[in-house]
Amino acid sequence: EGYGKKIIVTTYTDGSIEVQDFARGIPVDFNTRENCYNWELLYCEMYAGGKYNTNDGENYEFSLGLNGLGLCSTQYASEYMDVESKRDGYIYTLHFEKGKNVGGLKKEPYSGRDTGTKTRWKPDLEVFTDINIPLDYFIDVLKRQAVVNDNVVFILRDQKGSKFETYEFCYQSGIKDYVTETVADKGLSSVQFWQAERSGRDRADLPEYKVRLNVALTFSNKKQLIEYYHNSSFLEFGGSPDNAVKNATVAQI
């Protein structure tokens, strides 16, 4: 939504992971409408998020699918989780251990002009059989996030002893730049790019929502690659978009 332009992911030698953004900061203070704290909804209740209610003036204009899942599921599957949110002139901190909040919400005045959220957690070995995630996995995930989030800088910091190796990913024009990079000088045509916006509904009795489609394409007899992304997630096996694109392309030709 244009509020943050950089995300830093840090992997530590003890298996913990930290994600820091510089957007508006996650709202964690008391919610008078729900009569509870927002941190309880976000970190302790599945599917409690509301930012994708696109017709109700919520945060995101376009529907992105499930919400209220990531923060909560990660918190419950962590040995510990530390949260720091800077917003509205305050710095908020939370600490969780094995799915339970310890110490409540701490709120202090903050005079800095920066905002955003920093979260560090360690996956719990009582939940997972292995938490040694290969570096290549983080590199692949962050590169793909850069592909579908135009002009957002993703920085990966991987701890090696007392130092950190740093990797940076950014595509100013998103998938168009990614296709250009992939085909290099082996293309038979220039890279074509289309963007479309539509409204639709899943069933007649459900409300409409808005969706956006981005497509980049070129032809090459040296490079072959077809990829699909949905809600910023890479669809490794193509799924229904693969059939739709094949049918539409053949029909147009």
Side-chain angles (χ1 to χ4, degrees):
E1 288 293 287
Y3 291 97
K5 289 296 182 184
K6 181 168 65 175
I7 295 175
I8 302 173
V9 177
T10 304
T11 61
Y12 295 92
T13 52
D14 67 351
S16 63
I17 304 159
E18 182 180 271
V19 176
Q20 182 177 10
D21 68 54
F22 303 86
R24 291 170 287 181
I26 290 177
V28 292
D29 217 340
F30 194 77
N31 187 322
T32 54
R33 186 173 65 180
E34 300 294 334
N35 198 32
C36 65
Y37 282 90
N38 278 319
W39 69 260
E40 295 178 278
L41 297 172
L42 293 168
Y43 293 95
C44 303
E45 184 175 331
M46 300 287 278
Y47 307 113
K51 63 183 179 181
Y52 299 144
N53 292 337
T54 55
N55 296 324
D56 298 328
E58 294 287 355
N59 294 347
Y60 291 92
E61 183 181 2
F62 294 93
S63 178
L64 299 178
L66 292 177
N67 61 92
L69 180 63
L71 290 178
C72 187
S73 58
T74 302
Q75 189 277 116
Y76 278 122
S78 297
E79 183 179 319
Y80 71 85
M81 175 183 279
D82 290 309
V83 180
E84 176 187 279
S85 177
K86 298 176 183 176
R87 62 175 289 135
D88 304 325
Y90 292 93
I91 181 168
Y92 302 85
T93 54
L94 290 158
H95 177 69
F96 299 90
E97 293 181 7
K98 292 186 176 292
K100 294 182 179 180
N101 174 255
V102 179
L105 174 67
K106 295 179 180 177
K107 176 181 178 181
E108 299 176 358
Y110 181 67
S111 59
R113 301 185 64 181
D114 59 310
T115 58
T117 307
K118 181 164 62 176
T119 308
R120 181 171 176 175
W121 76 95
K122 184 177 180 179
D124 194 345
L125 277 171
E126 292 184 4
V127 178
F128 304 101
T129 56
D130 185 10
I131 63 171
N132 294 312
I133 305 171
L135 176 62
D136 288 347
Y137 172 81
F138 288 101
I139 290 175
D140 181 66
V141 168
L142 292 189
K143 180 177 180 179
R144 294 188 183 283
Q145 286 297 308
V147 168
V148 292
N149 290 279
D150 302 11
N151 208 28
V152 176
V153 178
F154 289 84
I155 297 173
L156 173 61
R157 301 169 68 245
D158 180 52
Q159 187 176 26
K160 300 291 185 184
S162 60
K163 298 182 179 180
F164 291 88
E165 291 184 358
T166 302
Y167 307 81
E168 186 172 310
F169 311 92
C170 182
Y171 291 90
Q172 290 187 345
S173 298
I175 60 172
K176 183 178 180 181
D177 286 351
Y178 177 54
V179 172
T180 301
E181 173 190 87
T182 301
V183 76
D185 59 349
K186 297 177 174 60
L188 297 174
S189 68
S190 59
V191 175
Q192 305 297 306
F193 177 75
W194 301 279
Q195 184 178 85
E197 298 176 5
R198 294 290 186 272
S199 294
R201 63 183 78 213
D202 293 328
R203 293 199 315 258
D205 59 325
L206 293 177
E208 279 196 345
Y209 55 84
K210 290 195 289 185
V211 294
R212 174 181 287 160
L213 174 73
N214 293 324
V215 179
L217 171 103
T218 189
F219 292 93
S220 172
N221 58 2
K222 303 292 185 182
K223 290 269 190 177
Q224 182 172 348
L225 178 69
I226 301 175
E227 290 184 354
Y228 302 94
Y229 296 80
H230 181 244
N231 301 348
S232 293
S233 297
F234 172 53
L235 302 181
E236 184 177 357
F237 301 105
S240 56
D242 190 36
N243 292 330
V245 170
K246 285 180 179 178
N247 290 338
T249 303
V250 170
Q252 287 299 310
I253 291 176

